[in-house]
Amino acid sequence: MNYEFNWFYVQKSLPDLFDGLLVTLQLTLWANAIGLVFGFLVALGMMSKIKLITWPLTIYIEFFRCTPALIQLVWFFFCVPIIFNVWWSGYFMGILALGLNLAAFNAEAYRAAIQAIPHSHSDASVALGLNAFQRIIHVILPQALILALPVLITNGIGIFQQSALVALISVEDLMYQGRYISTQTFRPIETLTTVALIYFAVSFPVSQAVSYIERRTKRLLAN
């Protein structure tokens, strides 16, 4: 390979890459906020015995789990404005698509965690006179969060990485900036390698934290 590496343009463009990283982190935080809250509500709905509730939620979960995130993102960006006559920015559409995608996966994590909570805990909360809302907030939610936390964080890392797809709808995230710089400088190897290393630098510490939380959770459950 007769290729001479030149990192000058990448170093010069680092501020633009970090601006893109900031957009990526904002997208990730908002998507996780939707995924954590809406995912829990969907999980509660899936625990219902009313088929009129569970069927639409099942369709929602299976749609987002069984179709590519790229298709979902592009569909939201191009089809939602036509169908509902609403014209939102690519940034907002990216948050919405990523958040709903994450909520579908988180819902399954929550549901598994809720099913793992001993029935005696619910029985005790009923005996204490807690109503349904109080049982959800004070008994079910805290335990479900603890049990599902490793999976929720792993899903959050996944959505951080999938957020790179928003570059296709012209959201100026890290991937968009990297692609733009690489085409302007004709230095794709240096630029995209730097972009990959930035994604890795953010994701790797979080993945290690997941491993630590899993070990702690296992020890807590063992006691």
Side-chain angles (χ1 to χ4, degrees):
M1 182 180 69
N2 189 20
Y3 183 86
E4 294 183 6
F5 289 91
N6 186 341
W7 298 90
F8 171 77
Y9 292 106
V10 175
Q11 293 174 353
K12 186 180 177 181
S13 303
L14 280 177
D16 293 329
L17 290 177
F18 286 125
D19 286 342
L21 176 61
L22 180 61
V23 173
T24 294
L25 292 175
Q26 290 172 346
L27 286 167
T28 303
L29 289 174
W30 281 112
N32 271 278
I34 295 172
L36 289 171
V37 175
F38 189 57
F40 182 70
L41 296 177
V42 171
L44 289 178
M46 289 295 292
M47 304 296 290
S48 172
K49 295 180 180 179
I50 304 173
K51 291 185 178 181
L52 212 61
I53 296 175
T54 58
W55 281 3
L57 293 178
T58 301
I59 294 171
Y60 158 72
I61 290 173
E62 295 305 324
F63 171 79
F64 278 94
R65 291 180 65 195
C66 299
T67 57
L70 175 59
I71 297 297
Q72 298 163 17
L73 184 66
V74 173
W75 191 92
F76 269 81
F77 185 73
F78 289 105
C79 300
V80 168
I82 297 172
I83 297 172
F84 299 102
N85 197 30
V86 291
W87 305 95
W88 292 320
S89 67
Y91 180 82
F92 181 81
M93 287 298 192
I95 291 173
L96 189 61
L98 293 173
L100 292 175
N101 176 281
L102 182 59
F105 286 90
N106 283 352
E108 291 299 284
Y110 277 126
R111 184 166 65 158
I114 292 170
Q115 290 174 338
I117 298 173
H119 290 291
S120 58
H121 293 196
S122 297
D123 295 338
S125 63
V126 172
L128 290 171
L130 299 180
N131 58 40
F133 180 77
Q134 290 172 327
R135 290 198 300 272
I136 291 171
I137 296 299
H138 299 295
V139 179
I140 297 174
L141 178 58
Q143 294 186 80
L145 272 174
I146 292 173
L147 293 171
L149 193 58
V151 179
L152 296 176
I153 297 176
T154 301
N155 291 345
I157 297 173
I159 217 66
F160 166 71
Q161 295 163 353
Q162 289 188 41
S163 68
L165 297 173
V166 301
L168 296 175
I169 57 173
S170 300
V171 178
E172 297 181 0
D173 71 325
L174 177 58
M175 185 61 201
Y176 179 94
Q177 296 288 0
R179 188 178 62 177
Y180 177 79
I181 293 166
S182 68
T183 55
Q184 292 297 308
T185 61
F186 301 101
R187 290 288 166 181
I189 296 177
E190 294 91 331
T191 305
L192 297 178
T193 299
T194 302
V195 169
L197 289 173
I198 293 173
Y199 276 108
F200 177 81
V202 176
S203 299
F204 182 72
V206 181
S207 68
Q208 295 304 299
V210 172
S211 299
Y212 173 76
I213 291 170
E214 284 180 327
R215 292 193 298 270
R216 291 280 297 176
T217 303
K218 287 178 181 178
R219 284 200 293 267
L220 285 172
L221 293 176
N223 297 332

